[in-house]
Amino acid sequence: MPVSSSDSSETPSLPRRSDIRNIAIIAHVDHGKTTLVDCLLRQSGQYRASQLSGERILDSNDLERERGITILAKNIAVEWKGTKINIIDTPGHADFGGEVERVLRMADGALVLVDAAEGSMPQTRFVLSKALEARLRPVVVVNKIDRPDARPLEVLDEILGLFLELGADDELADFPFVYASSREGFATHDVNVREGTMEPLLNLVLEKIPGPTVDPDAPLRMLVTTLDWSDYVGRIAIGRLDSGRLIKGSQVVRSTAAGTFVAAKVVGLQVFDKLGKIDAEEATAGDICAVSGLDNVEIGDTICDPADPRPLPRLTVDEPTLNMVFGVNSSPLAGRSGKYMTTRHLRDRLNKELEKNVALRVEPIEGSEQFSVSGRGLLHLSVLIETIRREGYELSVGKPRVILHREGDKVLEPFETLVVEVPHDKLGPVMELTGSRRGQLVHMGNRGDFAHAVFSIPARGLIGLRTRVLNATQGTAIMHHRFEAWRPLEGDVAGRANGVLISMVPGKAVAFGLDGLQERADLFIEPGDEVYEGMVVGENARGDDMTVNPTREKKLTNMRASGSDRNILLKPPRRMSLEEALEYIEDDELVEVTPDVIRLRKVLLSEHDRKRHGRQKS
């Protein structure tokens, strides 16, 4: 195993491997991480064209492809000038920060991607702060310099300011950088060049990012940072060997969260190669590998030498900020399309998700068959709901609520930094909407034809804000947010201004019944849709709820006259996505989620029960 001695601020006496580099690619959402990985794969010369068909090759998950975002961190390996480069592609959205935090433990360096037009964004700050905490060596890539509105030199100054603001020392703040276009496939040290290959970037990785440290005399230690699953071998533990060597078939011990050690055997051992994994007989310190045969292994466990077990510090990730109640689907239409509908099914599925989703928390609610599920944000939880929905589960989900902390006699709530880019003529509605939700303007600037506004806003105020801002700005606003701090609880935040239409009867909606409703409401259903008592079928033009009969048919008479009938023209119904539905509902409502359809309903389906409950509350 070739090694080269290289100075390190943490472990100056330990040599480093020169034949391997472990790097993570981190950036704000949509700044081009996965496209850059595509480019590196194509230019490494190790793949046939048929192996790299399409765009965003690593976004293999159906939800990732549909949404155009990375949700799960992924490992690949490319070879450049005889050196193996393990690349970890990380999510860019703040809600999946738990993925970023744990996989950074496997890396020695980070490619920090920044859009040459957008510059530093909320998630750039988050991922960079985590990289600096982990003492990763950064290489800054100013991406998308081929954009017509690119401003690469200004963006580079912004990144330097961000490094200094986050407390980077002189060594880390003196970062190497390149200008690049992942889509066009070039990287350059000259900001005016618009051609070439990714060779300057790959060379920079070899020169500036050190190989992993190697301690030949230390016992085996490997921190499990990711879990995979195989129908043949069960759980697969993925992590980087911190020290020692791991041999296929050897006996090891596994440290647990309870502080105990469990004996185990390494049944299978694989290392990452190209787009997948290959079997290996041995892995040495610095290698990222996958180990099978360890029953009940969990993220954060350390695989140790039985003769000298020394567990590494367990993984810690930031606490969740949003909570929702999950329960089984109890509507009259339950069981029409799902396969898994019982509390036991839901409990088992949520517990399975806990094994690999480190930022998730699940607690049963005492005295009920429901579960309190906490996550990093609405997208984090909605992706979980969408995933299990597609697996055949039916469930009902309550209104998202922020998690409050208590310090002494003070109640604290999470505040977020909200960045909005919007055309200047649409800035008024954005200011009005954020102000009504207790958002405070922190900074205002211009970026071309767009106004760039930064707000500090309670996380409660963000729930439902995106849909309203997009409606008010005709879809022209771009919004990003990330957790900022815990602060004393503020007053009430304005909720939904309009009431809803609630079906008073079961049956199928008909055009005649809906025609009489559309003048005073926005409808969520169309003729032929099944409804039930207590189902939300539209939004009322007024602030109060109203019970209606969408199944009402026209009465036939034996008197006919020309002109007495007319064509019924209905507006298209408003169909909500899962995130929009979760943002829309109030405390007394649920989102009914099935594999085929998403419906809104009241918690209490009977009008009599709702009135009685209202009297009790008052």
Side-chain angles (χ1 to χ4, degrees), residues 425-505:
D425 60 332
K426 301 286 196 309
L427 182 59
V430 173
M431 299 291 288
E432 183 181 347
L433 285 166
T434 50
S436 69
R437 289 163 174 262
R438 299 190 174 270
Q440 298 288 329
L441 183 66
V442 176
H443 172 74
M444 173 77 78
N446 294 323
R447 288 192 179 169
D449 297 332
F450 281 71
H452 180 84
V454 181
F455 301 89
S456 178
I457 186 170
R460 288 179 296 147
L462 285 174
I463 299 173
L465 180 63
R466 179 181 298 274
T467 303
R468 288 172 172 81
V469 166
L470 290 176
N471 288 340
T473 61
Q474 287 78 52
T476 56
I478 301 170
M479 298 174 60
H480 298 290
H481 60 88
R482 70 169 289 271
F483 174 75
E484 180 184 341
W486 293 93
R487 293 190 188 144
L489 181 67
E490 298 226 350
D492 292 337
V493 170
R496 190 177 67 207
N498 298 68
V500 291
L501 304 186
I502 309 161
S503 175
M504 63 172 71
V505 292

Coordinates of all heavy atoms in Angstrom, one line a residue, residues 425-505:
D425 N -41.1 44.2 -9.9 CA -42.5 44.6 -9.9 C -43.3 43.6 -9.1 O -44.5 43.9 -8.8 CB -43.0 44.7 -11.3 CG -42.9 43.4 -12.1 OD1 -42.0 42.6 -11.8 OD2 -43.7 43.2 -13.0
K426 N -42.8 42.5 -8.7 CA -43.5 41.5 -7.9 C -43.1 41.5 -6.4 O -43.5 40.6 -5.6 CB -43.4 40.1 -8.4 CG -43.8 40.0 -9.9 CD -45.3 40.0 -10.0 CE -45.8 39.4 -11.4 NZ -45.2 40.1 -12.5
L427 N -42.2 42.5 -6.0 CA -41.6 42.4 -4.7 C -42.7 42.8 -3.6 O -42.6 42.3 -2.5 CB -40.5 43.4 -4.6 CG -39.7 43.5 -3.3 CD1 -39.1 42.2 -2.9 CD2 -38.6 44.6 -3.4
G428 N -43.6 43.7 -3.9 CA -44.7 44.1 -3.0 C -45.4 42.9 -2.3 O -45.5 42.9 -1.1
P429 N -46.0 42.0 -3.1 CA -46.7 40.9 -2.5 C -45.8 40.0 -1.6 O -46.3 39.5 -0.6 CB -47.2 40.1 -3.7 CG -47.3 41.1 -4.8 CD -46.2 42.0 -4.6
V430 N -44.5 39.9 -2.0 CA -43.6 39.1 -1.2 C -43.4 39.7 0.2 O -43.5 39.1 1.2 CB -42.3 38.9 -1.9 CG1 -41.2 38.2 -1.0 CG2 -42.5 38.1 -3.2
M431 N -43.2 41.0 0.2 CA -43.0 41.8 1.4 C -44.2 41.7 2.3 O -44.1 41.5 3.5 CB -42.7 43.2 1.2 CG -41.4 43.4 0.3 SD -39.9 43.0 1.2 CE -39.8 44.4 2.4
E432 N -45.4 41.8 1.7 CA -46.6 41.7 2.5 C -46.9 40.4 3.1 O -47.2 40.2 4.3 CB -47.8 42.1 1.5 CG -49.2 42.2 2.2 CD -50.3 42.5 1.3 OE1 -50.0 42.9 0.1 OE2 -51.4 42.3 1.7
L433 N -46.6 39.3 2.3 CA -46.9 37.9 2.8 C -45.9 37.6 3.9 O -46.3 37.0 4.9 CB -46.8 37.0 1.6 CG -48.0 37.0 0.7 CD1 -47.7 36.2 -0.6 CD2 -49.2 36.3 1.4
T434 N -44.6 37.9 3.7 CA -43.6 37.5 4.7 C -43.9 38.4 6.0 O -43.7 37.9 7.1 CB -42.2 37.7 4.2 OG1 -42.1 39.0 3.6 CG2 -41.9 36.7 3.2
G435 N -44.2 39.6 5.8 CA -44.5 40.5 7.0 C -45.7 40.0 7.8 O -45.6 40.0 9.0
S436 N -46.7 39.5 7.1 CA -47.9 39.0 7.8 C -47.6 37.7 8.6 O -48.3 37.3 9.5 CB -49.0 38.7 6.8 OG -48.7 37.6 6.0
R437 N -46.4 37.1 8.3 CA -46.0 35.9 9.0 C -44.8 36.1 9.9 O -44.0 35.2 10.1 CB -45.7 34.7 8.0 CG -47.0 34.2 7.4 CD -46.8 33.4 6.1 NE -48.0 32.9 5.6 CZ -48.4 31.6 5.9 NH1 -47.6 30.8 6.6 NH2 -49.6 31.2 5.4
R438 N -44.7 37.4 10.3 CA -43.6 37.8 11.2 C -42.2 37.7 10.7 O -41.2 37.4 11.4 CB -43.7 37.0 12.6 CG -45.1 37.3 13.3 CD -45.1 36.7 14.7 NE -46.3 37.1 15.3 CZ -46.5 38.2 16.0 NH1 -45.4 39.1 16.2 NH2 -47.6 38.5 16.6
G439 N -42.1 37.8 9.4 CA -40.8 37.8 8.7 C -40.1 39.2 8.8 O -40.8 40.2 8.6
Q440 N -38.9 39.3 9.2 CA -38.2 40.5 9.3 C -37.1 40.6 8.1 O -36.3 39.7 7.9 CB -37.4 40.7 10.6 CG -38.4 40.6 11.8 CD -39.2 41.9 12.0 OE1 -38.7 43.0 11.6 NE2 -40.4 41.8 12.5
L441 N -37.1 41.7 7.4 CA -36.2 41.9 6.3 C -34.8 42.2 6.9 O -34.6 43.1 7.7 CB -36.6 43.1 5.4 CG -35.7 43.4 4.2 CD1 -35.8 42.2 3.2 CD2 -36.2 44.7 3.5
V442 N -33.8 41.4 6.4 CA -32.5 41.5 6.9 C -31.6 42.2 5.9 O -30.7 43.0 6.3 CB -31.9 40.1 7.3 CG1 -30.4 40.2 7.7 CG2 -32.7 39.4 8.4
H443 N -31.8 41.9 4.6 CA -30.9 42.4 3.6 C -31.7 42.5 2.3 O -32.5 41.7 2.0 CB -29.7 41.5 3.4 CG -28.8 41.9 2.2 ND1 -28.0 43.0 2.2 CD2 -28.7 41.4 1.0 CE1 -27.4 43.1 1.1 NE2 -27.8 42.1 0.3
M444 N -31.4 43.6 1.5 CA -32.1 43.7 0.2 C -31.0 44.1 -0.8 O -30.1 45.0 -0.5 CB -33.1 44.8 0.3 CG -33.7 45.2 -1.0 SD -34.9 44.0 -1.6 CE -36.3 44.4 -0.6
G445 N -31.0 43.5 -2.0 CA -30.0 43.8 -3.0 C -30.6 43.5 -4.4 O -31.8 43.1 -4.5
N446 N -29.9 43.8 -5.4 CA -30.3 43.6 -6.8 C -29.4 42.6 -7.4 O -28.2 42.6 -7.2 CB -30.2 44.9 -7.6 CG -31.2 45.9 -7.1 OD1 -32.3 45.6 -6.7 ND2 -30.8 47.2 -7.1
R447 N -30.0 41.7 -8.3 CA -29.2 40.8 -9.1 C -29.9 40.8 -10.5 O -30.8 40.1 -10.8 CB -29.3 39.4 -8.5 CG -28.4 39.3 -7.3 CD -28.2 37.8 -6.9 NE -27.3 37.8 -5.7 CZ -27.1 36.7 -5.0 NH1 -27.7 35.5 -5.4 NH2 -26.3 36.7 -4.0
G448 N -29.4 41.7 -11.3 CA -29.9 41.9 -12.6 C -31.4 42.4 -12.5 O -31.6 43.5 -11.9
D449 N -32.3 41.7 -13.2 CA -33.7 42.2 -13.2 C -34.4 41.7 -11.9 O -35.6 42.0 -11.8 CB -34.4 41.6 -14.4 CG -33.8 42.1 -15.7 OD1 -33.3 43.3 -15.7 OD2 -33.9 41.4 -16.7
F450 N -33.7 41.0 -11.0 CA -34.4 40.5 -9.8 C -34.0 41.2 -8.6 O -32.8 41.6 -8.4 CB -34.0 39.0 -9.7 CG -34.8 38.1 -10.6 CD1 -34.5 38.0 -12.0 CD2 -35.8 37.2 -10.1 CE1 -35.2 37.2 -12.8 CE2 -36.5 36.4 -11.0 CZ -36.2 36.4 -12.3
A451 N -34.9 41.3 -7.6 CA -34.6 41.8 -6.3 C -34.2 40.6 -5.4 O -34.8 39.5 -5.6 CB -35.8 42.5 -5.7
H452 N -33.2 40.7 -4.6 CA -32.7 39.7 -3.8 C -33.0 40.1 -2.3 O -32.3 41.0 -1.8 CB -31.2 39.5 -4.0 CG -30.6 38.4 -3.2 ND1 -30.6 37.1 -3.6 CD2 -29.9 38.5 -2.1 CE1 -29.9 36.4 -2.7 NE2 -29.5 37.2 -1.7
A453 N -33.9 39.4 -1.7 CA -34.3 39.8 -0.3 C -34.1 38.6 0.6 O -34.3 37.5 0.3 CB -35.8 40.1 -0.3
V454 N -33.5 39.0 1.8 CA -33.2 38.0 2.8 C -34.0 38.3 4.1 O -33.9 39.5 4.5 CB -31.7 38.0 3.2 CG1 -31.4 36.9 4.2 CG2 -30.8 37.7 1.9
F455 N -34.7 37.3 4.6 CA -35.6 37.5 5.7 C -35.2 36.6 6.8 O -34.7 35.5 6.6 CB -37.1 37.3 5.4 CG -37.7 38.1 4.3 CD1 -37.6 37.7 3.0 CD2 -38.3 39.3 4.6 CE1 -38.1 38.5 1.9 CE2 -38.8 40.1 3.6 CZ -38.7 39.7 2.3
S456 N -35.5 37.0 8.1 CA -35.4 36.1 9.2 C -36.9 35.9 9.6 O -37.6 36.8 9.9 CB -34.7 36.7 10.4 OG -34.7 35.9 11.5
I457 N -37.3 34.6 9.6 CA -38.8 34.3 9.8 C -38.9 33.1 10.7 O -38.1 32.1 10.6 CB -39.4 34.1 8.4 CG1 -40.9 34.0 8.5 CG2 -38.8 32.9 7.7 CD1 -41.6 34.0 7.1
P458 N -40.0 33.1 11.5 CA -40.2 31.8 12.3 C -40.6 30.7 11.4 O -41.2 30.9 10.3 CB -41.4 32.2 13.2 CG -41.5 33.7 13.2 CD -40.9 34.1 11.9
A459 N -40.1 29.5 11.7 CA -40.4 28.3 10.9 C -41.9 28.1 10.7 O -42.4 27.6 9.7 CB -39.8 27.1 11.5
R460 N -42.7 28.5 11.7 CA -44.2 28.4 11.6 C -44.7 29.2 10.4 O -45.6 28.9 9.7 CB -44.8 29.0 12.8 CG -44.7 28.1 14.1 CD -45.4 28.7 15.2 NE -44.8 30.0 15.6 CZ -45.4 31.1 16.1 NH1 -46.7 31.0 16.3 NH2 -44.7 32.2 16.4
G461 N -44.0 30.4 10.2 CA -44.5 31.3 9.1 C -44.2 30.7 7.7 O -44.8 31.2 6.7
L462 N -43.3 29.8 7.6 CA -42.9 29.2 6.3 C -43.9 28.2 5.8 O -44.0 27.9 4.6 CB -41.5 28.5 6.4 CG -40.3 29.5 6.4 CD1 -39.1 28.6 6.6 CD2 -40.2 30.2 5.1
I463 N -44.7 27.6 6.8 CA -45.7 26.6 6.4 C -46.8 27.2 5.5 O -47.5 28.1 6.0 CB -46.2 25.9 7.6 CG1 -45.1 25.2 8.4 CG2 -47.3 24.8 7.2 CD1 -45.6 24.6 9.7
G464 N -46.9 26.8 4.3 CA -47.9 27.4 3.4 C -47.5 28.7 2.7 O -48.2 29.2 1.8
L465 N -46.3 29.2 3.1 CA -45.9 30.5 2.5 C -45.5 30.3 1.0 O -45.8 31.2 0.2 CB -44.7 31.1 3.2 CG -44.2 32.4 2.7 CD1 -45.2 33.5 2.8 CD2 -42.9 32.8 3.5
R466 N -44.8 29.2 0.7 CA -44.3 29.0 -0.7 C -45.5 29.1 -1.7 O -45.4 29.8 -2.7 CB -43.6 27.7 -0.8 CG -43.0 27.4 -2.3 CD -42.3 26.1 -2.3 NE -41.2 26.1 -1.4 CZ -40.0 26.5 -1.8 NH1 -39.8 27.0 -3.0 NH2 -39.0 26.5 -0.9
T467 N -46.5 28.4 -1.5 CA -47.7 28.3 -2.4 C -48.3 29.7 -2.6 O -48.6 30.2 -3.7 CB -48.7 27.4 -1.9 OG1 -48.2 26.1 -1.7 CG2 -49.9 27.3 -2.9
R468 N -48.4 30.5 -1.5 CA -49.0 31.8 -1.5 C -48.1 32.8 -2.3 O -48.6 33.6 -3.1 CB -49.3 32.3 -0.1 CG -50.5 31.6 0.5 CD -50.7 32.0 2.0 NE -51.9 31.4 2.5 CZ -52.0 30.2 3.0 NH1 -51.0 29.4 2.9 NH2 -53.2 29.8 3.5
V469 N -46.8 32.7 -2.1 CA -45.9 33.6 -2.8 C -45.8 33.3 -4.2 O -45.9 34.2 -5.1 CB -44.4 33.4 -2.1 CG1 -43.4 34.1 -3.1 CG2 -44.4 34.1 -0.8
L470 N -45.8 32.0 -4.6 CA -45.8 31.6 -6.0 C -47.1 32.1 -6.7 O -47.1 32.6 -7.9 CB -45.7 30.1 -6.2 CG -44.3 29.6 -5.8 CD1 -44.2 28.1 -6.0 CD2 -43.2 30.2 -6.7
N471 N -48.2 32.0 -6.0 CA -49.5 32.5 -6.6 C -49.5 34.0 -6.8 O -49.9 34.5 -7.8 CB -50.7 32.0 -5.7 CG -51.0 30.6 -5.8 OD1 -50.6 29.9 -6.8 ND2 -51.6 30.0 -4.8
A472 N -49.0 34.7 -5.8 CA -49.0 36.1 -5.8 C -48.0 36.7 -6.8 O -48.2 37.8 -7.3 CB -48.7 36.7 -4.4
T473 N -47.0 35.9 -7.2 CA -45.9 36.4 -8.1 C -46.0 35.7 -9.4 O -45.1 35.8 -10.2 CB -44.5 36.2 -7.5 OG1 -44.3 34.8 -7.3 CG2 -44.4 37.0 -6.2
Q474 N -47.1 35.1 -9.7 CA -47.3 34.3 -11.0 C -46.2 33.3 -11.2 O -45.8 33.1 -12.4 CB -47.5 35.3 -12.2 CG -48.8 36.0 -12.3 CD -48.8 37.2 -11.3 OE1 -47.9 38.0 -11.3 NE2 -49.9 37.2 -10.5
G475 N -45.7 32.7 -10.2 CA -44.7 31.7 -10.3 C -43.3 32.2 -10.6 O -42.4 31.4 -10.9
T476 N -43.0 33.5 -10.4 CA -41.7 34.0 -10.8 C -40.7 34.0 -9.6 O -39.6 34.3 -9.8 CB -41.8 35.4 -11.3 OG1 -42.5 36.2 -10.4 CG2 -42.6 35.4 -12.7
A477 N -41.2 33.8 -8.4 CA -40.3 33.9 -7.2 C -39.5 32.6 -7.0 O -40.0 31.5 -7.3 CB -41.2 34.2 -6.0
I478 N -38.3 32.8 -6.6 CA -37.4 31.6 -6.2 C -37.1 31.7 -4.8 O -36.7 32.8 -4.3 CB -36.1 31.7 -7.0 CG1 -36.4 31.6 -8.5 CG2 -35.2 30.5 -6.6 CD1 -35.2 31.9 -9.4
M479 N -37.5 30.7 -4.0 CA -37.4 30.7 -2.5 C -36.4 29.6 -2.0 O -36.5 28.5 -2.5 CB -38.7 30.6 -1.9 CG -39.7 31.7 -2.2 SD -41.3 31.3 -1.5 CE -41.0 31.2 0.2
H480 N -35.6 30.0 -1.1 CA -34.7 29.0 -0.4 C -34.7 29.4 1.1 O -34.7 30.6 1.4 CB -33.3 28.9 -0.9 CG -33.3 28.5 -2.4 ND1 -33.5 27.3 -2.8 CD2 -33.0 29.3 -3.5 CE1 -33.4 27.2 -4.1 NE2 -33.1 28.4 -4.6
H481 N -34.6 28.4 2.0 CA -34.5 28.7 3.4 C -33.7 27.6 4.1 O -33.5 26.5 3.6 CB -35.9 28.8 4.0 CG -36.7 27.5 3.9 ND1 -36.6 26.5 4.8 CD2 -37.6 27.1 3.0 CE1 -37.4 25.5 4.5 NE2 -38.0 25.9 3.3
R482 N -33.1 28.0 5.2 CA -32.4 27.0 6.1 C -32.5 27.5 7.5 O -32.8 28.6 7.8 CB -30.9 26.9 5.7 CG -30.1 28.1 6.0 CD -28.6 27.9 5.8 NE -28.1 27.0 6.9 CZ -27.6 27.4 8.1 NH1 -27.6 28.7 8.4 NH2 -27.2 26.6 8.9
F483 N -32.3 26.5 8.4 CA -32.4 26.8 9.9 C -31.4 27.8 10.3 O -30.2 27.8 9.8 CB -32.2 25.5 10.7 CG -32.1 25.7 12.1 CD1 -33.3 25.9 12.9 CD2 -30.9 25.7 12.8 CE1 -33.2 26.1 14.2 CE2 -30.9 25.9 14.2 CZ -32.0 26.1 14.9
E484 N -31.8 28.8 11.1 CA -30.9 29.9 11.5 C -30.6 29.8 13.0 O -29.4 29.7 13.4 CB -31.6 31.2 11.2 CG -30.8 32.4 11.6 CD -31.6 33.7 11.4 OE1 -32.6 33.7 10.7 OE2 -31.3 34.7 12.0
A485 N -31.6 29.8 13.9 CA -31.4 29.7 15.3 C -32.6 29.5 16.1 O -33.7 29.6 15.5 CB -30.8 31.1 15.8
W486 N -32.5 29.1 17.4 CA -33.7 29.0 18.3 C -33.8 30.4 19.0 O -32.8 30.9 19.5 CB -33.4 27.9 19.3 CG -33.4 26.6 18.7 CD1 -32.3 25.9 18.3 CD2 -34.5 25.7 18.5 NE1 -32.7 24.6 17.8 CE2 -34.0 24.5 17.9 CE3 -35.9 25.9 18.6 CZ2 -34.9 23.5 17.5 CZ3 -36.7 24.8 18.3 CH2 -36.2 23.6 17.7
R487 N -35.0 30.9 18.9 CA -35.3 32.2 19.6 C -36.6 32.2 20.3 O -37.4 31.3 20.1 CB -35.4 33.3 18.5 CG -34.1 33.6 17.8 CD -34.1 34.8 16.9 NE -32.9 34.9 16.1 CZ -32.9 35.3 14.9 NH1 -34.0 35.7 14.3 NH2 -31.7 35.4 14.2
P488 N -36.8 33.1 21.2 CA -38.1 33.1 22.0 C -39.3 33.1 21.1 O -39.3 33.7 20.1 CB -38.0 34.4 22.8 CG -36.5 34.7 23.0 CD -35.9 34.2 21.7
L489 N -40.3 32.4 21.6 CA -41.5 32.2 20.8 C -42.2 33.6 20.6 O -42.4 34.3 21.5 CB -42.5 31.3 21.6 CG -43.8 30.9 20.9 CD1 -43.6 30.1 19.6 CD2 -44.7 30.2 21.9
E490 N -42.6 33.8 19.3 CA -43.3 35.0 18.9 C -44.8 34.8 19.0 O -45.2 33.7 19.3 CB -42.9 35.5 17.5 CG -41.4 35.8 17.4 CD -41.1 37.1 16.7 OE1 -42.0 37.6 16.1 OE2 -39.9 37.6 16.8
G491 N -45.5 35.8 18.7 CA -47.0 35.7 18.8 C -47.6 34.8 17.7 O -46.8 34.2 16.9
D492 N -48.9 34.8 17.5 CA -49.5 34.0 16.6 C -49.2 34.4 15.1 O -48.9 35.5 14.8 CB -51.1 34.1 16.7 CG -51.5 33.5 18.0 OD1 -50.8 32.6 18.5 OD2 -52.6 33.8 18.5
V493 N -49.1 33.4 14.3 CA -48.9 33.6 12.9 C -50.2 33.4 12.1 O -50.9 32.4 12.4 CB -47.8 32.6 12.3 CG1 -47.7 32.7 10.8 CG2 -46.4 33.0 13.0
A494 N -50.5 34.2 11.2 CA -51.7 34.1 10.4 C -51.8 32.8 9.7 O -50.9 32.3 9.1 CB -51.8 35.3 9.4
G495 N -53.0 32.2 9.8 CA -53.2 30.9 9.2 C -54.0 31.1 7.8 O -53.9 32.2 7.2
R496 N -54.7 30.1 7.4 CA -55.4 30.2 6.2 C -56.6 31.2 6.3 O -57.4 31.1 7.2 CB -55.9 28.8 5.8 CG -56.5 28.6 4.4 CD -56.9 27.2 4.2 NE -58.1 26.8 5.0 CZ -58.3 25.6 5.4 NH1 -57.5 24.6 5.1 NH2 -59.4 25.3 6.1
A497 N -56.7 32.0 5.3 CA -57.7 33.1 5.4 C -59.1 32.5 5.0 O -60.1 33.1 5.4 CB -57.4 34.2 4.4
N498 N -59.2 31.5 4.2 CA -60.5 31.0 3.7 C -60.9 29.7 4.4 O -60.1 28.9 4.8 CB -60.4 30.7 2.2 CG -60.1 32.0 1.4 OD1 -59.0 32.5 1.5 ND2 -61.0 32.4 0.6
G499 N -62.2 29.6 4.5 CA -62.8 28.3 4.9 C -62.8 27.3 3.8 O -62.4 27.5 2.7
V500 N -63.4 26.1 4.1 CA -63.5 25.1 3.0 C -65.0 24.6 2.9 O -65.8 24.9 3.7 CB -62.6 23.9 3.4 CG1 -61.2 24.2 3.4 CG2 -63.0 23.3 4.8
L501 N -65.2 24.0 1.7 CA -66.5 23.3 1.5 C -66.3 21.8 1.9 O -65.4 21.2 1.5 CB -66.8 23.4 0.0 CG -66.9 24.7 -0.7 CD1 -67.4 24.6 -2.1 CD2 -67.8 25.7 0.1
I502 N -67.3 21.4 2.7 CA -67.3 20.0 3.2 C -68.5 19.3 2.7 O -69.6 19.7 2.9 CB -67.3 20.0 4.8 CG1 -66.2 21.0 5.3 CG2 -67.1 18.6 5.3 CD1 -66.4 21.4 6.7
S503 N -68.2 18.1 2.2 CA -69.4 17.3 1.7 C -70.2 16.8 2.9 O -69.7 16.4 3.9 CB -68.8 16.1 0.9 OG -69.9 15.3 0.5
M504 N -71.5 16.9 2.7 CA -72.4 16.4 3.8 C -73.0 15.0 3.5 O -73.6 14.4 4.4 CB -73.6 17.4 3.9 CG -74.5 17.5 2.7 SD -76.0 18.4 3.0 CE -75.3 20.1 3.2
V505 N -72.7 14.5 2.3 CA -73.2 13.2 1.9 C -72.1 12.4 1.2 O -71.2 12.9 0.6 CB -74.4 13.3 1.0 CG1 -75.6 13.9 1.8 CG2 -74.1 14.2 -0.2

